[in-house]
Every structure is written in structure tokens, then in C-alpha cells.
Amino acid sequence: MHATDTIAAIATAPGTGAISMIRMSGPQAAAILAACGGPAHPRPRHAGFTRLRDAQGRVIDETVCIYYAAPGGFTGEDLVEICCHGGMLVTRRVLERLLECGARPAEPGEFTRRAFENGKLDLTQAEAVMDVISAGSDLALRAAQSQLQGAIGSRVAQAADKLIGIAAHVEAYIDFPEEDISPDTGESLVRGLDEISAALRELLATADEGRLLREGVRTAIIGAPNVGKSSLLNMLLGYERAIVSPTAGTTRDTIEESVSLGGFRLRLTDTAGLHESDDAIERAGMERSRRAGAEADLVLEVQDATLPRRPGLPVQPGARRLLLLNKCDLPEHADWQGVPALRISCATGAGRQELEQAVAALFLHDTGERDTPAAINTRHRHALQQAVDALAAARASLLAGDSPELTDVELREALDALGAITGRIDTEDILTRVFSTFCLGK
Ligand code: GDP
């Protein structure tokens, strides 16, 4: 696919900074740059000092321009990156000048879309571009980078490749109906389908960690009034976000904040003290905190080390829980002797490191501490599930000895689902495979 128009947009965030970058991609990119005062024949992949000029020849800005000749740049087209001074007005003027000279404003995501359409990225890699930008923790960033390198796309492509081989077999029988699928062949096709299903299920199993990495770990801080829940939130955030007071019931509402801890982004909810109250507002706050606890991936249960042990609060079965014994700077109540808990002090900051290690230990086994974690997103999960279901139906149809046409419908459905993940798999590949790799000799 080759676009005929040339697009331009400001690539850096709006606001004032030292430098802004404007990107322009398409067949006229070099000509438009030349029309604004750039060199007539820019040297590819070289940073060149360029005075960009308006229609009257006045300098808009002194810039550094880099030209990538097609298909070498990010989009696979002629691409120009213009670094100008980082003021809002000057940046806008540079863009306006490019538009005056024939570029059109790019739509959101259009550079990456062109990269996809020109075969520079598959869809999973295009999605990873946004994941890299929005990564909120080290692990999320590593997972996004590995997806950008093709970790997910290549696993799906491998599965699809095997599946095309099987579909080619089945379609060969459709084209030559006098041949039945022999029991031997049928068995090896079923084995092949099972291998593909297993590989897809392995990817599907990363859906949860994908959500934890992309969206953060929903974390609820729960405990009785005055045990130090707000103080814990403040200690983790490193500043006074929640109001801390010695009067019970000060935190009436839930507060949400994000903090990076143990490689993960925790989405922390400080909750109203869970105790009975007649105060309507406070009751509403407590109801929200119960809900936050019920929906959480991680529950941090805070107890006061100086007081007798209180019964633990009910927690959602799937959630992980850490018991934090706060105020360990003060003498500990006898109830707590020998009780395994993380002893912390929000007053002195003691125990923060241990808490960080405990969180990492709780969630790292999901991500397997692999160097290159590959974790799918919701769209991938949906398509993978469709593929796995269609493969199960194809398997059943093969075992039942259905006509090859019926099996083929399921196989194609599975292939379509896999194709939707990478945006790359054309089911017409099957025909090519039938005729290129089969010596039918008939
Ligand atoms: P919450 O009601 O559970 O949110 O509790 P707060 O965070 O408002 O804390 C209640 C009281 O305990 C405040 O007076 C805090 O200063 C005090 N407090 C919190 N953490 C500690 C701690 O680690 N050590 C001591 N000595 N006091 C603490």
C-alpha cells in the first residue's frame, strides 16, 4: 500500500520545552522540506542544520532535520523529522508552513498506521508503540518492548503458519474428493491441531499478567480506623496526599493514586475506616471501600501493632493479601508475638523495602521473571479464544469423520481470528501453500 498524500504532525507533547519535533511522511516529504528552505537533496539519515522559512523568505526557526528515504524510516515512506525550538508558537508555525507547502495534518495514529500498512510493523507491534509510551512500571515497559520486538506477533504467526499447513491438507482433499482423509493423515492433523491449541493457550494464560502490567495492580488498603492506612498511602507516595489525623473516621472517601512498587504500578485506594458508623457520608465511604476491597488484585490489610489483634476482613478469594503490622516503632502488643506479618512503621519509613520485595514476590511468579515477558492485551485475548474454540470444533469434526468442507470452515475461522491479531495473515495463503508445497501429481 502506497499513500499518495504527505502527512505532518507535531510529535512531541504540547507545551513548552527545549525542543519540539515535527514529523512529515509521504512521497512529497523531501520536496516540501526543500520548499520551506531545506536542502534540495537531503542526505538520508543525516542530521542537517536547516533554516526553515515562510513564504516571504523570513526565517521561522533554525532547525535540525533528518530525512529517511523510503522504505527505511519508521513509516516505510519518505520521512522527515524536524527538530525546532520547543515553544508552542514556533512549533505551530513550522507545522503550518509544511501544511502550506502541501502536507496535510495527520490523523491520530496515522504514522503508525502507515508503518503497519507498509509492512514495517504487525498490529501487535503497532499496539506496543502505545504500550511503550504509556508503560507505568519497569516490567510493563519490558513487556511492551518485547511486544514491539515481535514477541507476540511472531508466536501467533508461527501458530498460523502451522495451521495453514493443516488447512492446505484439508483443502487438498476438498479439491480432490475421490481421496478420503486416511486415518493416519487424520491422526497427524489432530496432533498438529493439538500442538497449535497448546501454544495458543500458553499465550492466553498471559492475559492476567497483561492486565496487571498495562492497567496496574488494583490495590486496596483496608483496616480499622486509626491503624495508619492514610499514613501508609502517604509513605508509599512520598508526600502528604491523604489527610492523617488521630480522630477515627477522618478518611471518609476513597482516594486513588498510583505508585511504582516492586516493578509494578500499584493503583492504590486508601479507604474509609471499616467500622460501623451512623454518619451517612462515612457509611457511603465505607461501602466504597468494601467494594474496592472486593475488586482488588492486592489487599494490604493494616493492623495496629500496639493494639490487640482484630479479626481480618473478608477478602475476594482471587485477591492476594499482605498483612501489614504498622507502628512497629512502638512496643508491640503481646497478641502479635510470633505472628508472621510485615512489620512496618509509617512514621519512620521502616519496612518499606520489605514491602516492596513482598509485592514483587507475590506478582512476579505471574510474569515468570522472564527476561522478555510477553503478555497479551484484551483484544488479543478475545481473538485467541475464538481461535482456540474454532480449533476445538475443527478437531471434533476431524474425529467425527465429517466432510472436509466442514472441518475447513472451522480451520478458516481459526485462521481469521489469528489474522486479526497480527493483521497480517491472508487466508489466501492456503491456496498458495496447496499449490506450492504439495506435489499432487494428478
Ligand atoms: P487511618 O485512620 O487508618 O487512615 O490512620 P492514620 O493514617 O490517619 O493514622 C492514625 C494515627 O496513627 C495518626 O495520628 C498517625 O500519626 C499515627 N500513625 C500512623 N502510622 C504510625 C506509625 O507507624 N507509628 C506511630 N507511632 N504512629 C503512627
Side-chain angles (χ1 to χ4, degrees), residues 221-235 242-251 270-273 302 304 306 325-330 344-350:
I221 302 174
I222 63 170
N226 256 354
V227 292
K229 298 181 298 298
S230 302
S231 307
L232 173 65
L233 179 67
N234 290 336
M235 175 177 89
I243 305 159
V244 176
S245 97
T247 323
T250 317
T251 313
D270 169 44
T271 59
V302 188
D304 189 328
T306 66
L325 209 46
N326 187 34
K327 312 193 188 182
C328 75
D329 51 301
L330 301 174
I344 62 167
S345 166
C346 297
T348 65

Side-chain angles (χ1 to χ4, degrees), residues 314-390:
V315 168
Q316 190 80 342
R320 278 154 231 197
R321 180 187 195 129
L322 285 176
L323 176 59
L324 307 182
L325 209 46
N326 187 34
K327 312 193 188 182
C328 75
D329 51 301
L330 301 174
E332 189 170 296
H333 191 276
D335 271 12
W336 295 107
Q337 250 184 11
V339 174
L342 272 170
R343 281 155 174 85
I344 62 167
S345 166
C346 297
T348 65
R352 193 196 146 107
Q353 214 176 341
E354 287 77 4
L355 173 57
E356 186 143 350
Q357 284 160 359
V359 168
L362 272 185
F363 290 101
L364 267 183
H365 77 263
D366 272 8
T367 50
E369 279 184 279
R370 293 186 298 269
D371 286 341
T372 51
I376 59 169
N377 66 24
T378 316
R379 190 184 73 83
H380 306 151
R381 191 186 66 194
H382 183 72
L384 281 171
Q385 190 59 56
Q386 269 184 328
V388 165
D389 292 347

